[in-house]
Amino acid sequence: MIEVSDRIKAIAPSMTLAISAKANELKAAGVKVINFGIGEPDFKTPEHICDAAKDALDKGYTKYVAAAGLPALKKAIAKKLKDENGLDYDPSQIIVSNGAKHSIFNAVYAVINPGDGVLIPKPYWLTYPEVVKSCGGIPEYIYATPRHGYKITAAQLEAAIRPNTKMFIFNSPSNPTGAVYTEKEIRAIAEVCVEHNIVVLADEIYEKLIYGGETHFSIAQCSEEMKDLTIVINGVSKSYAMTGWRLGYLACPPNVAKAISSFQSHSTSNVNTVTQYATLAALEGDQTSMHEMIAAFGRRRLKMLEKLDEMKALGLDYVTPHGAFYVMLLCDNLYGKTYKGKKIRGSMDVADMLLEHKQVAITPGVCFGDDDAVRLSYALSTADMLEGLNRIAEFAAECE
């Protein structure tokens, strides 16, 4: 038998796999499952982006390109960062990778040594701690409470810093909470990071998906000192409905970019060449489809929150999200109750029972480090969303 490495043993299996498998079994059997676990837009990739990919194929753009990315694409990304975020990066500081997840891994791998501490607000995207562990780092958590809108404060960050702390992972807008930090909040956090020389991995993949008058502000905008400590992560998966195309990118100081470029040249080489030409069209082409998608998400968000307000009488609650396409539904008031004779002990029980008895798939909060809630996505049709919320309400009403 082949013995796997200690570093791969440290990676926890996904707690959602069993729920996903069961949901797929039900669908295959012809059962209508309402899926709130979706982590991708339910819209087609805009036509002009697909046309650019077809054109690239017709022109024979199917060969290797530079490992760090197509020069024209890196130039377009640098322009995007300048025009939209006020950030000056030379194209050599941009690394194009196989999705934002890959960019995150590259960033952590390039900076973190064994034993380095990485601060992560929780609830967190479940991949963050696993990437840190795979690179020999130590995940350390700061609890962002519902009472504070699922946002940590600068004081919390400062109190969590230890002698071994090397990095802080900052995600705004947030998956899973939908929290969006204000410029004032971000500047206060940046002051702490600069004072203690903490590297910030700024995951901004949901940057475009913001509602209710909130705006995106990158922590790298705070100062040149903060920019020199920041690795900005972004991509096209969420904003252009291109999840399966697998393209993300990062922007960082020159020495880090050089190191990541060298590593990627040996690990994956370049991202799919056709995808890169499609992404160039996404960034430089008509933005109408993207804005229409965001507007649709905004309307769904309001309808979901309206329905959740009606469900508060059943012991359910939520924190208003201002970004991404998720809501954390607080369901801890159901814990200790029973449903069809079975006791509810936590978010995984809620997820299992909803799927088995109401054919509703949700993501248990325990996956994100917060067992008091479950995550609901509104990246599904309005009709399905409302039907699913009615099924959740029925479940809560039937708990004893």
Side-chain angles (χ1 to χ4, degrees):
M1 184 179 73
I2 297 175
E3 182 70 20
V4 300
S5 68
D6 290 340
R7 62 180 172 273
I8 207 75
K9 288 178 184 176
I11 308 304
S14 172
M15 288 182 282
T16 63
L17 285 179
I19 292 176
S20 296
K22 189 170 182 180
N24 290 333
E25 285 177 12
L26 290 170
K27 287 180 183 178
V31 176
K32 182 179 180 180
V33 176
I34 306 295
N35 190 359
F36 286 104
I38 301 167
E40 62 180 348
D42 59 320
F43 293 84
K44 291 182 179 180
T45 302
E47 187 174 355
H48 71 281
I49 298 173
C50 296
D51 288 341
K54 296 172 188 175
D55 185 57
L57 286 170
D58 290 340
K59 290 178 177 177
Y61 296 159
T62 57
K63 307 298 183 183
Y64 291 131
V65 296
L70 196 68
L73 177 56
K74 291 171 65 172
K75 185 177 179 181
I77 291 169
K79 184 177 187 300
K80 178 268 176 209
L81 291 167
K82 173 64 175 176
D83 293 347
E84 297 182 9
N85 307 107
L87 297 172
D88 280 308
Y89 286 103
D90 186 85
S92 64
Q93 295 176 261
I94 309 294
I95 307 293
V96 178
S97 300
N98 295 282
K101 185 182 291 188
H102 185 206
S103 295
I104 291 167
F105 178 86
N106 281 347
V108 176
Y109 188 79
V111 172
I112 294 302
N113 288 311
D116 284 343
V118 179
L119 294 173
I120 306 172
K122 69 173 184 177
Y124 47 74
W125 181 45
L126 71 172
T127 293
Y128 293 144
E130 306 312 318
V131 168
V132 171
K133 288 186 287 185
S134 72
C135 295
I138 302 172
E140 298 168 345
Y141 305 106
I142 309 171
Y143 186 36
T145 65
R147 189 164 60 92
H148 289 112
Y150 283 124
K151 295 191 282 187
I152 69 160
T153 65
Q156 280 182 284
L157 175 61
E158 183 143 36
I161 293 173
R162 302 288 182 266
N164 71 323
T165 302
K166 181 73 174 289
M167 177 182 280
F168 169 55
I169 296 181
F170 185 55
N171 180 211
S172 176
S174 165
N175 174 12
T177 68
V180 177
Y181 286 74
T182 67
E183 180 178 344
K184 182 179 179 181
E185 291 166 339
I186 292 170
R187 286 190 179 279
I189 287 170
E191 287 180 11
V192 174
C193 294
V194 170
E195 180 182 351
H196 295 276
N197 199 40
I198 303 297
V199 176
V200 174
L201 190 157
D203 182 355
E204 302 180 357
I205 191 67
Y206 291 96
E207 168 195 14
K208 302 284 189 182
L209 303 176
I210 295 182
Y211 324 97
E214 299 289 331
T215 56
H216 175 71
F217 182 78
S218 175
I219 195 168
Q221 293 175 259
C222 290
S223 66
E224 281 302 311
E225 293 87 353
M226 188 67 255
K227 181 169 172 271
D228 288 341
L229 285 169
T230 302
I231 301 173
V232 176
I233 306 288
N234 212 319
V236 292
S237 293
K238 313 299 183 181
S239 50
Y240 294 96
M242 294 177 68
T243 52
W245 295 75
R246 305 316 303 137
L247 189 140
Y249 60 83
L250 60 80
C252 59
N255 65 315
V256 180
K258 184 177 180 181
I260 292 174
S261 179
S262 295
F263 171 61
Q264 186 160 294
S265 71
H266 293 294
S267 58
T268 62
S269 297
N270 64 273
V271 174
N272 181 294
T273 303
V274 172
T275 288
Q276 295 195 57
Y277 280 100
T279 300
L280 188 60
L283 295 177
E284 295 184 338
D286 187 357
Q287 306 293 300
T288 302
S289 295
M290 179 188 69
H291 293 309
E292 289 175 347
M293 179 184 73
I294 294 169
F297 280 139
R299 291 190 294 271
R300 292 181 195 173
R301 167 183 168 272
L302 291 176
K303 286 187 177 294
M304 177 176 271
L305 299 186
E306 182 180 321
K307 182 63 180 177
L308 291 179
D309 281 336
E310 297 174 8
M311 294 162 62
K312 286 184 177 181
L314 300 171
L316 303 172
D317 204 353
Y318 69 92
V319 174
T320 301
H322 294 284
F325 36 69
Y326 308 109
V327 179
M328 287 292 274
L329 180 65
L330 291 157
C331 54
D332 53 317
N333 283 334
L334 302 181
Y335 300 172
K337 294 184 177 182
T338 59
Y339 185 79
K340 295 190 180 298
K342 293 184 67 175
K343 193 170 186 178
I344 303 172
R345 298 159 298 178
S347 61
M348 187 63 80
D349 285 342
V350 172
D352 287 338
M353 292 175 183
L354 278 172
L355 184 58
E356 180 180 356
H357 298 287
K358 298 297 181 181
Q359 293 73 57
V360 172
I362 52 94
T363 309
V366 68
C367 298
F368 311 113
D370 185 355
D371 198 29
D372 289 343
V374 297
R375 191 191 73 176
L376 305 180
S377 168
Y378 44 93
L380 70 169
S381 73
T382 300
D384 281 352
M385 179 181 74
L386 294 176
E387 180 181 343
L389 291 174
N390 282 332
R391 294 184 190 184
I392 294 173
E394 288 174 3
F395 168 78
E398 292 165 6
C399 291
E400 298 176 335

